[in-house]
Amino acid sequence: MLNKIKKLFMKKEATNQEVFEEQIQVREEAEVAAENIDAVQEPDANELSQIQPTAEELAEIQDQGYLEDSAGIVGYATREEQQKAYAEIIGTIPQGSSILDFGCGRGDFFAWHETTYGKGNCDYTGIDANETLVDIGNKIYDDINLVCDDWFQLEGVENKDWCINIRSNNLRYDHQVEVTDFEYVTQTIDKMFEMCNQGVIISLSSNKFEVDNQIAYNAGDIASWAFSKYDFVAVDHTTDTNQFLVIIYKN
């Protein structure tokens, strides 16, 4: 299992499909093992040590920088793809705008913005429910403001000019089976609109890459919903054939 984790993180040049297929393979192997659990005796401590990463092995992963440096762990096949996604977003937002980042991960957008436009030029807050990624971001980036929370339950976080969501809704982490993907993304957009002063921009996938856990949204359905509810809406499908941007202006 540890080797599979390392292999997944080390796929610097892997495609999205390859990354997701690796995740699916690991999950399927785990499911098969669970189905056959009754047919084997309970493993002893020695056997468990062969299938579970030790504290030393986990420390090795940390030391080698997988969590700090991997693009795959935050949903991208390569750093180049990640930076391209950021550039698509920032092209819509006026320079100098304050930003609230929904699904920020490590807060890589903040670091990219600081590198691109100069240190101190971004009033930024990031929100993510993944405590590990938030802790890493707070560790590796100076002067960053990351909040570990469910964005639907935010308290004490100030509105910013723009709320952004860069491909965070392409996967579901909430496990609310009673809420459909469409309901979840529209509820997310509503929350973003509530927390912004000027506008919302969200990047969504329109291609499942033939992998079950990758959500493919219909741009027309999202656009129809947005136009029915908000006054100033734009949908941009020109930046990437697999992604589209939904932009909602508040003023």
Side-chain angles (χ1 to χ4, degrees), residues 47-236:
E47 292 170 322
L48 283 173
S49 68
Q50 301 302 312
I51 62 174
Q52 295 178 343
T54 65
E56 289 77 14
E57 288 172 326
L58 291 174
E60 181 186 352
I61 290 177
Q62 180 75 20
D63 290 342
Q64 292 180 6
Y66 294 111
L67 297 181
E68 291 90 343
D69 299 330
S70 169
I73 201 172
V74 287
Y76 298 92
T78 65
R79 278 288 188 181
E80 290 76 15
E81 179 191 328
Q82 184 180 11
Q83 292 168 2
K84 179 183 176 183
Y86 293 167
E88 292 170 358
I89 293 286
I90 205 65
T92 302
I93 300 174
Q95 191 170 342
S97 300
S98 58
I99 292 172
L100 183 57
D101 187 355
F102 280 59
C104 64
R106 294 174 300 220
D108 292 349
F109 179 88
F110 170 79
W112 175 85
H113 192 286
E114 294 269 276
T115 301
T116 304
Y117 295 102
K119 188 172 178 62
N121 286 325
C122 187
D123 177 359
Y124 173 94
T125 298
I127 308 162
D128 202 289
N130 188 314
E131 185 175 2
T132 299
L133 292 180
V134 168
D135 287 346
I136 290 168
N138 282 321
K139 171 187 172 184
I140 63 177
Y141 298 131
D142 293 331
D143 303 320
I144 195 170
N145 182 23
L146 302 182
V147 177
C148 183
D149 205 349
D150 177 347
W151 57 57
F152 294 118
Q153 309 296 328
L154 284 180
E155 292 183 4
V157 175
E158 295 182 356
N159 282 29
K160 299 293 186 183
D161 294 334
W162 282 83
C163 286
I164 66 173
N165 183 319
I166 311 174
R167 308 190 183 183
S168 179
N169 274 73
N170 287 349
L171 294 171
R172 289 282 295 274
Y173 304 98
D174 57 291
H175 306 299
Q176 300 179 66
V177 295
E178 72 280 3
V179 178
T180 68
D181 294 339
F182 184 83
E183 290 170 335
Y184 188 73
V185 73
T186 54
Q187 289 170 9
T188 296
I189 294 172
D190 285 340
K191 183 63 178 181
M192 294 170 68
F193 193 80
E194 174 191 328
M195 299 293 296
C196 78
N197 296 324
Q198 297 181 13
V200 164
I201 180 166
I202 182 170
S203 175
L204 299 170
S205 174
S206 57
N207 189 333
K208 288 188 71 169
F209 304 107
E210 299 181 354
V211 177
D212 291 340
N213 63 344
Q214 170 78 5
I215 302 170
Y217 296 96
N218 184 294
D221 291 343
I222 300 291
S224 296
W225 169 84
F227 282 119
S228 71
K229 185 162 188 178
Y230 297 106
D231 293 330
F232 305 104
V233 178
V235 177
D236 185 353

